[in-house]
Amino acid sequence: MRVLVLSDIHANLEALNAVLEAAPAYDMVWNLGDIVGYGANPNEVIDRVRTLGSVFVRGNHDKAISGIEGLAEFNPIAGRAAKWTRCVLSTEHTDWLRHMPAGPIMPDGPEVSCMHGSPLDEDDYVLTVRDAWLPLTKSPTRINFFGHTHLQGGFATNGEEWFRITPQYAPRGAVEYELPLRENARYLINPGSVGQPRDGDWRAAFALYEYEGDGLDAQRRVIFYRTPYNVKQAQERIVRAGLPDRLAARLRDGR
Ligand code: ZN
């Protein structure tokens, strides 16, 4: 089975299209939330992701924009973008966002969960090994896919040692990084952000989760990817929409 794992698309249609073009063959798509917010094409992005399947968990922007939550937790720029998105989003798409499930969900048997923030709280940020300790200890599943931080990689433990996972890419050429998953370890894995990466690499991020067999014999691995996209066009659309300039500028910096 090959699963395309996407997170934090943030209404960036250029990045989403580039990811779907660059992705190797896959059997299904899991989406970890924040489909909208920040970017200029929320309706088009929702149309496209809805054609990809039905495994979704909601993010904090999806909640705020669909009216499940207010904007009190948002900084002024995120708040302006959320208000703009509320205005332009179709009623049908708003309704669809409002009904997305909260994470964690278990889309595929007892080993794997999907969530936006952390297995313990959908809105928590898991940024450090310290943040990862409790979720990795308490999560009922061994393999946990999360988003929210816009940082590709994640965390792992074998019960004694704790690791940060940071995909390494050659400056030129290689755009994939393979992580074999060991049977005796527990993982928090972030595919990175499709539409607004914040790890200093502007290229759209995503991951493929692959497994063969089941039980103790299963072979599992995650492959992290980066792909360039038409960032200039995404920026122009943001500026033309009247969204804050900062949201356009940060795309080029990957911050
Ligand atoms: Zn996000």
Side-chain angles (χ1 to χ4, degrees):
M1 188 65 75
R2 292 157 70 91
V3 183
L4 180 64
V5 189
L6 305 179
S7 193
D8 296 279
I9 300 168
H10 281 293
N12 186 336
L13 185 64
E14 282 74 24
L16 175 62
N17 285 341
V19 162
L20 294 176
E21 210 159 286
Y26 53 85
D27 302 300
M28 60 174 127
V29 179
W30 296 345
N31 200 306
L32 309 180
D34 277 6
I35 290 166
V36 296
Y38 298 137
N41 289 92
N43 286 302
E44 295 82 352
V45 163
I46 290 179
D47 277 332
R48 185 112 210 240
V49 294
R50 287 177 75 174
T51 66
L52 299 174
S54 57
V55 178
F56 293 92
V57 292
R58 67 190 188 185
N60 51 317
H61 286 255
D62 306 320
K63 278 195 289 182
I65 285 160
S66 64
I68 292 172
E69 272 181 6
L71 301 175
E73 300 287 308
F74 278 35
N75 67 48
I77 287 178
R80 266 178 67 193
K83 281 182 195 156
W84 178 89
T85 308
R86 280 178 178 173
C87 288
V88 301
L89 204 59
S90 74
T91 314
E92 196 214 332
H93 286 157
T94 305
D95 217 50
W96 179 77
L97 279 185
R98 196 178 296 130
H99 289 95
M100 267 202 293
I105 60 165
M106 291 163 66
D108 185 43
E111 297 252 31
V112 182
S113 292
C114 291
M115 68 235 40
H116 186 63
S118 137
L120 305 181
D121 185 323
E122 61 177 338
D123 293 328
D124 275 358
Y125 286 93
V126 184
L127 289 159
T128 63
V129 171
R130 183 184 278 262
D131 296 336
W133 183 80
L134 201 59
L136 275 181
T137 308
K138 298 263 183 189
S139 175
T141 53
R142 197 169 73 74
I143 301 165
N144 303 277
F145 289 99
F146 74 108
H148 199 30
T149 64
H150 299 209
L151 304 174
Q152 192 180 49
F155 306 92
T157 182
N158 56 15
E160 287 168 8
E161 291 169 294
W162 297 75
F163 306 93
R164 176 187 279 274
I165 300 158
T166 309
Q168 306 288 335
Y169 300 103
R172 261 176 263 270
V175 289
E176 52 180 87
Y177 176 83
E178 187 180 324
L179 173 76
L181 302 184
R182 300 186 199 295
E183 270 309 316
N184 60 353
R186 302 173 67 79
Y187 295 91
L188 268 161
I189 291 165
N190 189 331
S193 169
V194 171
Q196 196 199 76
R198 294 180 192 161
D199 42 19
D201 183 342
W202 64 273
R203 297 172 300 175
F206 64 102
L208 194 76
Y209 166 56
E210 254 187 3
Y211 63 92
E212 274 172 59
D214 47 26
L216 284 177
D217 297 329
Q219 300 282 324
R220 299 171 195 271
R221 62 180 185 150
V222 171
I223 308 166
F224 296 99
Y225 293 88
R226 297 309 273 246
T227 188
Y229 71 97
N230 191 340
V231 70
K232 199 157 172 270
Q233 191 170 323
Q235 290 176 310
E236 280 169 9
R237 287 192 208 252
I238 286 172
V239 172
R240 252 186 278 134
L243 285 158
D245 287 348
R246 164 81 184 120
L247 294 176
R250 72 184 306 174
L251 292 183
R252 174 54 79 187
D253 301 336
R255 294 280 176 205

